[in-house]
Amino acid sequence: MKTPLAVVIPISKFEHNSENINAILKQSSKFQIEVIPVLDNQKNLAFENLTLLITELNLEAKIVKVNSNNPGGARNLGKQLATRKWLAFWDCDDLPLISETIKLIEEAEKSQADIAVGNYEVEDIRTNRVVIQDLNLRSPQIGIGLNPGIVTGK
């Protein structure tokens, strides 16, 4: 069963984060998440490596190349390509707990919320420490006239 989650991952330093990006993609394939890596100012080799891994994992993904030098711009571009009911933005240097994200989605759907917010532990690969990070999920279709509810995780 497909998870109703699309994840946008801005990537500005593929070579420094490739191990973690691989781990995120492997976890995502287990949960059948739509993944949208946005390669910002990256070489073709990064694109080729990412394409190969996504093909091996049979992962639903849309790889985007952009030259913005701006994580916000990369996120916005990725958001436009998302097709699932829920959208999250993950940093390429963190390893989120996907099972916790899915629990948050389930709670949000039970209460018919359009936005879900929670705090979850992630492993920061720069420091090899577990840190608390905000998790914000929202329906990509959010707009005027919708009734946003909030579900808080942990």
Side-chain angles (χ1 to χ4, degrees), residues 3 5 7 23-33 35 90 95-105 120-122 135:
T3 301
L5 176 64
V7 176
I24 290 172
L25 294 177
K26 286 177 183 173
Q27 280 190 33
S28 297
S29 70
K30 292 176 187 174
F31 292 96
Q32 297 184 17
I33 292 171
V35 178
W90 289 345
L95 189 56
L97 296 174
I98 295 176
S99 59
E100 295 297 324
T101 304
I102 291 169
K103 286 180 192 174
L104 185 59
I105 289 171
Y120 293 98
E121 293 179 348
V122 296
L135 174 64

Side-chain angles (χ1 to χ4, degrees), residues 67 88 90 124 148 151 153:
N67 291 314
W90 289 345
D124 184 332
V151 176

Side-chain angles (χ1 to χ4, degrees), residues 34-141:
E34 177 184 36
V35 178
I36 305 166
V38 182
L39 293 166
D40 194 358
N41 288 322
Q42 296 301 293
K43 298 175 183 171
N44 284 336
L45 183 59
F47 181 81
E48 292 165 10
N49 288 341
L50 202 53
T51 301
L52 182 62
L53 181 61
I54 286 169
T55 302
E56 287 174 5
L57 294 171
N58 195 26
L59 187 61
E60 184 178 342
K62 298 173 185 96
I63 305 172
V64 182
K65 289 173 71 173
V66 66
N67 291 314
S68 72
N69 287 323
N70 177 343
R75 288 183 188 99
N76 287 337
L77 181 61
K79 174 190 170 282
Q80 293 173 9
L81 299 172
T83 62
R84 301 285 177 92
K85 184 175 179 182
W86 291 93
L87 177 66
F89 301 103
W90 289 345
D91 293 337
C92 67
D93 58 352
D94 292 329
L95 189 56
L97 296 174
I98 295 176
S99 59
E100 295 297 324
T101 304
I102 291 169
K103 286 180 192 174
L104 185 59
I105 289 171
E106 290 168 354
E107 289 299 316
E109 289 184 341
K110 280 182 196 173
S111 63
Q112 298 181 340
D114 295 313
I115 299 171
V117 179
N119 294 318
Y120 293 98
E121 293 179 348
V122 296
E123 183 179 344
D124 184 332
I125 64 165
R126 293 171 294 208
T127 62
N128 289 324
R129 294 187 336 194
V130 172
V131 297
I132 301 296
Q133 181 174 350
D134 292 336
L135 174 64
N136 299 294
L137 297 170
R138 66 187 192 89
S139 167
Q141 294 80 23

Side-chain angles (χ1 to χ4, degrees), residues 11-26:
I11 302 171
S12 60
K13 296 180 180 172
F14 182 85
E15 65 280 354
H16 295 121
N17 296 306
S18 62
E19 185 177 314
N20 201 65
I21 293 166
N22 289 347
I24 290 172
L25 294 177
K26 286 177 183 173

